[in-house]
């Protein structure tokens, strides 16, 4: 499978990231910047998929390509190292930094304000923007889009995310079921962005 390093994030994002992280990735590529909570949500997710600190720093440095090295080092480097537990108090360092955010946390804490791109698109986008974003990442099936819309109306955001996962991975899931590699239990609802990634990565590699 694809190696997990700064260079492979573009292709990993397209193939394996849940919509919340694809949204952060696309915003980062568009603006060459992300605001504080977006950086935090994304950094911790990237740590969770196995991107090491050195590669993560390289990823952010290259992505913030309008900044000088000096500004990057002064304003952004420390927070990435802190998230990995490379600096900070004893407790932070012993614990290896912060844990990647669960869906629950992303869905309920710090809703994104204007110009912010963190959060969960199934919850924080309006239906039109959500549909446009799904179409942009290749989810064009009308039944799936309608299902997502209904999930959103019922505030079943995980269900929407799972619905999209099952659609995007339908061929791999069918094959895995045929080979009895995957049991029904393994298809229960995803409640963590890193779980979404892990399942996707395992299915396609
Ligand atoms: Fe991300 Fe969870 Fe929302 Fe899916 S349900 S987009 S993994 S926050």
């Amino acid at each position: 499978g694809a190696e997990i390093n700064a260079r492979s994030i573009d292709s990993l994002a397209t193939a394996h990231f849940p919509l919340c992280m694809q949204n952060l990735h696309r915003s980062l590529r568009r603006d060459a910047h992300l605001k504080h909570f977006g950086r935090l949500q994304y950094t911790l997710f990237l740590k969770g998929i196995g991107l090491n600190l050195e590669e993560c720093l390289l990823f952010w440095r290259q992505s913030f390509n309008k900044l000088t090295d000096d500004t990057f080092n002064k304003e952004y480097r420390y927070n990435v190292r802190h998230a990995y537990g490379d600096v900070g108090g004893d407790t932070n360092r012993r614990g290896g930094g912060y844990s990647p955010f669960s869906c629950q946390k992303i869905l309920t804490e710090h809703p994104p304000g204007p110009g912010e791109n963190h959060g969960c698109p199934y919850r924080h986008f309006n239906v039109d923007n959500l549909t446009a974003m799904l179409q942009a990442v290749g989810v064009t099936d009308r039944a799936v889009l309608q299902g997502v819309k209904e999930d959103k109306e019922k505030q079943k955001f995980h269900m929407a995310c799972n619905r999209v996962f099952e659609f995007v991975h339908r061929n791999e899931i069918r094959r895995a079921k045929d080979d009895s590699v995957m049991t029904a239990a393994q298809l229960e609802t995803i409640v963590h962005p890193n779980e979404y990634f892990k399942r996707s990565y395992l299915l396609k590699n």
Side-chain angles (χ1 to χ4, degrees):
E3 264 190 70
I4 294 171
N5 54 36
R7 241 179 319 139
S8 63
I9 299 299
D10 279 315
S11 56
L12 288 172
T14 309
H16 302 301
F17 287 9
L19 206 60
C20 51
M21 303 304 169
Q22 288 205 60
N23 181 43
L24 285 169
H25 191 77
R26 292 162 72 96
S27 305
L28 176 61
R29 287 290 174 256
R30 184 192 61 215
D31 302 336
H33 194 262
L34 281 179
K35 292 195 172 174
H36 174 74
F37 282 117
R39 292 198 306 274
L40 188 58
Q41 181 177 318
Y42 201 26
T43 296
L44 293 173
F45 171 78
L46 293 173
K47 177 171 92 163
I49 73 169
L51 190 69
N52 68 33
L53 173 60
E54 205 177 310
E55 288 292 320
C56 193
L57 284 167
L58 183 63
F59 170 75
W60 284 112
R61 177 65 200 102
Q62 291 173 341
S63 300
F64 283 13
N65 56 27
K66 293 180 198 150
L67 299 182
T68 62
D69 279 339
D70 201 38
T71 309
F72 179 81
N73 288 338
K74 262 193 223 143
E75 292 179 24
Y76 300 101
R77 213 180 150 78
Y78 185 89
N79 281 345
V80 177
R81 292 180 61 202
H82 196 265
Y84 274 74
D86 193 48
V87 288
D90 280 351
T91 320
N92 186 51
R93 298 180 73 147
R94 263 199 309 275
Y98 306 134
S99 300
F101 295 163
S102 65
C103 297
Q104 184 62 18
K105 194 173 169 82
I106 293 170
L107 284 162
T108 56
E109 292 178 20
H110 302 294
E116 292 186 314
N117 302 105
H118 64 277
C120 171
Y122 297 109
R123 170 161 211 166
H124 297 117
F125 281 21
N126 66 34
V127 172
D128 289 346
N129 289 346
L130 177 59
T131 303
M133 163 107 209
L134 285 169
Q135 286 171 329
V137 300
V139 180
T140 52
D141 185 277
R142 290 178 58 160
V144 174
L145 293 172
Q146 181 59 30
V148 165
K149 197 176 151 190
E150 287 163 17
D151 294 336
K152 180 171 169 58
E153 278 161 7
K154 292 184 212 139
Q155 307 215 358
K156 304 218 158 163
F157 308 112
H158 296 112
M159 299 285 285
C161 190
N162 240 67
R163 186 187 294 283
V164 167
F165 181 94
E166 287 181 18
F167 174 72
V168 171
H169 299 85
R170 61 197 178 284
N171 295 328
E172 291 82 5
I173 290 171
R174 195 183 310 126
R175 227 172 291 134
K177 275 183 178 161
D178 288 348
D179 298 346
S180 313
V181 176
M182 181 174 280
T183 65
Q186 284 171 292
L187 278 171
E188 68 197 40
T189 313
I190 291 166
V191 294
H192 199 296
N194 286 97
E195 180 65 26
Y196 186 110
F197 173 82
K198 203 163 85 188
R199 282 195 210 178
S200 175
Y201 193 76
L202 289 175
L203 274 175
K204 293 203 180 186
N205 284 280

